[in-house]
Amino acid sequence: MFGLKALLFGLGMQEILIIALIVLLLFGGKKIPELMNGLGKGVKSFKDGMKEIEADTTDEKKPNE
């Protein structure tokens, strides 16, 4: 099982806060929700594509009836 460090790529709390501050300064408070929405849609699309590929490969492995 992966630990919390593996999920955070070995970053500490200070590094995460610095990255968040830089993002806030670059994009501003109003733009961040739009960016996160777009990121969420992208991740969902990627997961759907991976499920579709997995389903296609599973179908190919089944013997024809």
Side-chain angles (χ1 to χ4, degrees):
M1 182 169 209
F2 295 106
L4 186 58
K5 281 285 191 181
L7 293 174
L8 298 176
F9 304 106
L11 296 176
M13 187 56 96
Q14 290 178 338
E15 289 90 359
I16 293 172
L17 288 174
I18 290 172
I19 292 169
L21 181 63
I22 291 172
V23 169
L24 183 63
L25 289 173
L26 287 175
F27 297 107
K30 293 181 180 180
K31 191 73 173 168
I32 291 176
E34 294 174 18
L35 291 171
M36 294 299 111
N37 189 16
L39 181 64
K41 287 180 181 179
V43 169
K44 184 180 184 309
S45 174
F46 178 76
K47 285 183 178 181
D48 290 344
M50 292 299 294
K51 287 179 184 177
E52 185 178 320
I53 290 172
E54 185 177 323
D56 287 345
T57 56
T58 304
D59 290 341
E60 290 175 3
K61 291 180 182 178
K62 291 182 181 178
N64 293 337
E65 295 181 356

